[in-house]
Structures are given as C-alpha cells and as structure tokens.
Amino acid sequence: MSSVAGRSLRLRRRRLLPGGKGQPKVVALGGGRGLSASLTALRRITGDLTAVVTVADDGGSSGRLRAELDVLPPGDLRKALAALCGDDDWGQTWSRVVQHRFGGEGQLNGHAVGNLLIVALWEQLGDHVAALDLVGKLLGAHGRVLPMSAVPLQLQAQVRGHDPALPEEESTVVGQATVALTPGEVREVRLVPSDPPAVPEAVAAVLDADWVVVGPGSWFSSVIPHLLVPELRQALVETRARRVLSLNLAPQPGETAGFSPQRHLEVLARHAPKLAFDVVLADQDAVPDQQSLREAAERLGGTVELARVAAQDGTPRHDPERLAAAYDRIFRMHGRIGPWR
C-alpha cells in the first residue's frame, strides 16, 4: 500500500471508534481463513461488525468435538473471534491463546484451546449466542460472531471424477472436509438437513446492515453454504444493505481447481439465483480476463472493483491493510451519501 493510502486509512480508523457515529454496520459471511482475512481488514475501518459463520465443518478438532458431544463445530467460530482481536497486547495474546493447539499423544492432541472454551460455555449457558458473546467480551473482540444456524449441518456435494479412476462418473461426496479436498469437479452442494433454521440474530444483523460482505473463502464449503439456509438466503435477498462479493486470490486446490474468477460467480448464482451483488472485489493481478469478469458481475447486478489486496510476499493470502483500504474505498464510493446512521 502507498504511504498516502496508508495514512488516509489510519486517519479514517481514528474517526471510526467503536460505538461512534459515522461508521457503517457491516456483516461478513463465510468461514475459515477467508472470513478471518475479511474480518481482520474490516475491524480496521468499522466498529460495528458482525461475522456470520458456517457450521458444517466435520474435520480436525471441530469434527471430534461434534461427534463426541453433538455440538456445533466451533473451529470457524474460534477463528473469527481470533481475527476480531485487537492489535494491542491484550488482543494479540488472547488471539494466540485461543488458536493454540495442544501437542503430545493424549486425547487433547490437536484440540484448540478456543474450541474447548467455546464448547464449555455452550454447555454452561445452554445458549450459542450468549456463549460466543461472552468469549468475545473476554477477548476484547472488535465485533460479534454468530453461527449461521443453531444445528450442526452436513455438507453434501455432487462431484464428477471424485474417483480419479472414473473421471466422468458423478457421485455424492459427504462432509465438508472431504468436499474441500476432492480431486474432482464439484457440480453442486447442499445441506443436510435441507432447510436448517437460521440463527435469528444472524438474520436480524443482515436485515439491519449497511453493507454485507460475502467471501472470500472456500467457495463450496464456506461461502455457498450460507446461501443454502432458507431464512438467511431470504434475508440476503431482502436486505436494503449493499452487498460485496469478495473473490479469492487463486483457485483452491480440490474444490475450485481450474476455476476462473467469473466461474466463481456463475456457480454462486446457480445456488442462489435471486441474489444480487452491488460490487465484486477482486485482486487485479488475479484476473486475467477482466472483461469476462465484468460481464459476469453485471449478470449479478453489480460492478467490478479491482485492487491489489494480496500480500506482497507473493503468497496467496490477503494483506489486511490493503484489503481494509479496498473495503474502505468501496464503502465510500458506493455507499450512501452523507454520514452513516
């Protein structure tokens, strides 16, 4: 980021203090590293931020806790809370603590501290939202974290060529962890149960937002699942908020291998044909065919904003300051005229 852009963002951040006027209400949807990247950027430009997180994970520590205790998978919720921690000593210390994984060879091996803390509070309070709010208060999180549904969900996908020996055969692949790593072509995903209830606070946040940000993240296993929860999908269609679709920096090995940026838009539209977007944000160095992307964005009702949002070390990850500057510019250029409510 240029020194001028960085100075402008720092000045704007000082104006947007938590609870202050002049800042947008932002809701970000996703899961895993993609949502964490978005939240780390967004907390730099607004103090009114809510994360709505997928709950279909069935791998690792989350999968073990889900199977043993019949609870929501806490992993993506933990990552979102860690991303909302501040840059001060308190925030960074707690971010490291909740992300810490136990080693050794015992039953705690591989479990993250934050996963255990979240599940313990769920059992103590009997309320998913109240428990996550309490963890957020402990961490000093710059925003709120909500699950998209209050029931654990199973992800199923129709995949062509899941078995490399049968490249033309289509089969049903079960489980988020398996879908994310399939060597085949994901054609469609669905949730089980097919009509899960949305968390009411998540629906309310979307309807009350000024901006809704969808993505980046694993397209079929973290982004599209939000569009398969009927009440949440309807809220996304009906909200008066402006909507941003934030694209990944590169196709994900497995579920989106070989996908162009515009193909990401096309498969999302197949799963939620009534959902429109105002802006599609993409890294300018990750779009070889800008015209095709603009045409795909127009079919969703939006325009394309290109910016350098990737880390400068060449790795396929977002730079928080660059991404924050891109969101800030979009909110100012495409938002309502005058101060935020």
Side-chain angles (χ1 to χ4, degrees):
M1 180 190 307
S2 70
S3 59
V4 173
R7 183 167 61 252
S8 174
L9 182 59
R10 287 192 294 273
L11 289 171
R12 181 167 174 79
R13 189 184 308 157
R14 285 199 291 270
R15 293 198 300 269
L16 300 184
L17 297 175
K21 296 180 180 179
Q23 55 187 331
K25 291 184 177 182
V26 181
V27 175
L29 291 82
R33 294 180 181 178
L35 178 61
S36 294
S38 207
L39 295 175
T40 303
L42 288 166
R43 68 172 169 81
R44 286 164 158 77
I45 59 174
T46 182
D48 199 333
L49 178 58
T50 300
V52 179
V53 184
T54 184
V55 286
D57 190 10
D58 61 352
S61 171
S62 286
R64 289 162 59 191
L65 290 168
R66 174 177 176 167
E68 293 173 16
L69 301 174
D70 192 27
V71 294
L72 294 180
D76 284 349
L77 296 161
R78 179 201 80 242
K79 292 173 186 174
L81 284 162
L84 290 174
C85 286
D87 295 322
D88 57 356
D89 288 342
W90 179 273
Q92 290 306 294
T93 297
W94 274 109
S95 178
R96 290 192 297 270
V97 168
V98 297
Q99 295 282 57
H100 174 76
R101 290 187 184 273
F102 293 102
E105 299 179 357
Q107 293 185 354
L108 282 176
N109 174 259
H111 277 305
V113 171
N115 288 359
L116 301 178
L117 175 62
I118 290 169
V119 172
L121 282 168
W122 282 342
E123 292 192 345
Q124 287 285 317
L125 301 180
D127 186 320
H128 294 104
V129 172
L132 290 166
D133 285 344
L134 189 57
V135 177
K137 184 177 180 179
L138 172 66
L139 272 54
H142 292 226
R144 193 182 195 192
V145 173
L146 300 169
M148 69 179 187
S149 178
V151 298
L153 303 174
Q154 182 187 79
L155 189 70
Q156 294 186 355
Q158 291 302 117
V159 180
R160 185 170 63 186
H162 179 66
D163 182 350
L166 301 169
E168 298 302 319
E169 182 174 293
E170 191 167 296
S171 57
T172 300
V173 176
V174 178
Q176 185 184 45
T178 306
V179 172
L181 296 176
T182 179
E185 178 188 357
V186 180
R187 308 286 289 174
E188 181 185 21
V189 290
R190 57 183 176 270
L191 294 175
V192 178
S194 60
D195 56 349
V199 167
E201 291 86 350
V203 172
V206 169
L207 292 174
D208 192 45
D210 295 309
W211 282 93
V212 174
V213 177
V214 178
S218 299
W219 216 242
F220 286 105
S221 51
S222 292
V223 175
I224 289 178
H226 289 84
L227 312 182
L228 306 179
V229 178
E231 293 169 300
L232 189 55
R233 179 179 63 244
Q234 191 63 27
L236 288 167
V237 170
E238 292 180 355
T239 182
R240 295 179 61 190
R242 295 181 185 270
R243 307 169 192 87
V244 179
L245 184 62
S246 189
L247 296 183
N248 296 330
L249 298 171
Q252 180 177 345
E255 63 180 77
T256 57
F259 274 35
S260 64
Q262 54 269 25
R263 189 172 177 190
H264 285 75
L265 274 61
E266 291 162 1
V267 298
L268 184 145
R270 282 208 311 268
H271 287 83
K274 294 182 180 180
L275 181 59
F277 286 89
D278 298 278
V279 182
V280 175
L281 171 63
D283 184 86
Q284 64 188 57
D285 296 324
V287 183
D289 186 349
Q290 294 184 11
Q291 183 58 33
S292 292
L293 179 59
R294 294 186 192 282
E295 291 172 357
E298 287 176 3
R299 288 193 289 272
L300 292 181
T303 60
V304 173
E305 288 290 335
L306 299 176
R308 284 196 168 92
V309 293
Q312 298 183 62
D313 60 7
T315 59
R317 59 185 180 86
H318 288 87
D319 177 272
E321 292 287 345
R322 284 180 161 188
L323 187 57
Y327 284 140
D328 181 61
R329 184 173 61 255
I330 288 170
F331 292 171
R332 287 186 288 108
M333 290 178 60
H334 297 271
R336 298 176 178 84
I337 297 173
W340 299 94
R341 51 182 154 179

